[in-house]
Amino acid sequence: GENVEQHPSTLSVQEGDSAVIKCTYSDSASNYFPWYKQELGKGPQLIIDIRSNVGEKKDQRIAVTLNKTAKHFSLHITETQPEDSAVYFCAAGDSWGKLQFGAGTQVVVTP
Amino acid sequence: ETGVTQTPRHLVMGMTNKKSLKCEQHLGHNAMYWYKQSAKKPLELMFVYNFKEQTENNSVPSRFSPECPNSSHLFLHLHTLQPEDSALYLCASSQDTGQGGGYTFGSGTRLTVV
């Protein structure tokens, strides 16, 4: 089955700097890669996703890149703000809709 | 609110108790999921329902019993739990399992087994 590894497990950045979280997956059948943000006391919320026919997608300060050959995908947050502090999860899924999640990255943005 | 509502938000139960977790969505989704979230571990898929039919049971102990009476409601019945079952239980929904799309999560039920 699919195995998703996520790094780093914790990431501390200065406000205004960029944050990058990286994930790798094992199943070449995976074709859908969402990213979720989980704030304290809430469930994970979808913030951006990318499908395997696209190499990069951007939405304001967040972007995701996908390298299908290397089975890598990354989340980039630019101009970080304190409200970006949360746990971020990557996931990989196939056409059957089943998602496998990474272990999460705790992002702390310090003013 | 995400459109997926879970109740209760917090639950403390003894090992001999029986309780139920409830999940409700009115997003028109046909697939619903139960996940277990423990500290410093990946989200663990427990059960998948698609059009009210259970399509996956991820080797979950029988002390967890799911029920899906319709596409909008999902329950997790709990009995004779162990302290290691303490975790955040998340419900999610998606259009259906064949679409390969994103999930919408509820806020979870924080379960403590004493």
Side-chain angles (χ1 to χ4, degrees):
Chain A
E2 177 64 276
N3 183 40
V4 176
E5 294 198 0
Q6 183 172 347
H7 299 280
S9 57
T10 58
L11 180 59
S12 185
V13 295
Q14 202 76 19
E15 183 177 358
D17 288 350
S18 295
V20 180
I21 303 170
K22 298 183 178 182
C23 288
T24 60
Y25 63 98
S26 60
D27 189 349
S28 55
S30 292
N31 55 16
Y32 176 66
F33 307 91
W35 286 88
Y36 289 83
K37 176 183 181 182
Q38 186 174 23
E39 296 175 311
L40 203 60
K42 297 184 179 180
Q45 295 207 22
L46 180 68
I47 55 171
I48 195 168
D49 56 13
I50 192 168
R51 296 190 183 272
S52 58
N53 58 345
V54 175
E56 185 173 354
K57 185 175 177 181
K58 190 173 180 182
D59 182 3
Q60 298 183 340
R61 294 187 297 106
I62 59 173
V64 58
T65 59
L66 171 65
N67 182 330
K68 277 190 65 181
T69 304
K71 298 193 181 74
H72 289 172
F73 58 115
S74 301
L75 179 72
H76 303 252
I77 308 173
T78 58
E79 300 172 30
T80 52
Q81 300 167 7
E83 53 264 38
D84 294 329
S85 296
V87 179
Y88 291 81
F89 293 93
C90 64
D94 57 26
S95 297
W96 296 104
K98 182 178 169 182
L99 290 180
Q100 185 70 36
F101 288 85
T105 297
Q106 174 76 61
V107 173
V108 177
V109 180
T110 53
Chain B
E1 285 298 330
T2 64
V4 178
T5 304
Q6 289 187 245
T7 53
R9 291 294 307 273
H10 301 272
L11 178 62
V12 179
M13 60 186 288
M15 289 190 283
T16 58
N17 290 159
K18 288 185 180 180
K19 296 286 183 183
S20 296
L21 310 185
K22 180 181 176 182
C23 177
E24 185 173 356
Q25 59 90 9
H26 296 289
L27 300 170
H29 289 169
N30 296 303
M32 296 187 79
Y33 312 80
W34 279 117
Y35 277 87
K36 177 183 179 182
Q37 186 175 33
S38 304
K40 299 183 180 179
K41 282 186 167 183
L43 287 163
E44 298 175 51
L45 178 65
M46 299 176 73
F47 301 103
V48 180
Y49 278 82
N50 198 39
F51 293 93
K52 301 188 301 177
E53 299 296 321
Q54 187 180 120
T55 57
E56 186 152 347
N57 175 338
N58 208 23
S59 302
V60 180
S62 59
R63 57 185 184 271
F64 295 91
S65 174
E67 179 190 1
C68 188
N70 54 62
S71 292
S72 299
H73 294 86
L74 184 65
F75 296 89
L76 188 62
H77 303 300
L78 316 171
H79 64 99
T80 59
L81 294 193
Q82 304 298 312
E84 59 265 29
D85 296 323
S86 299
L88 181 68
Y89 288 84
L90 289 162
C91 172
S93 69
S94 67
Q95 190 58 49
D96 68 61
T97 58
Q99 291 281 340
Y103 297 178
T104 301
F105 283 89
S107 295
T109 295
R110 173 69 62 187
L111 174 67
T112 303
V113 181
V114 297

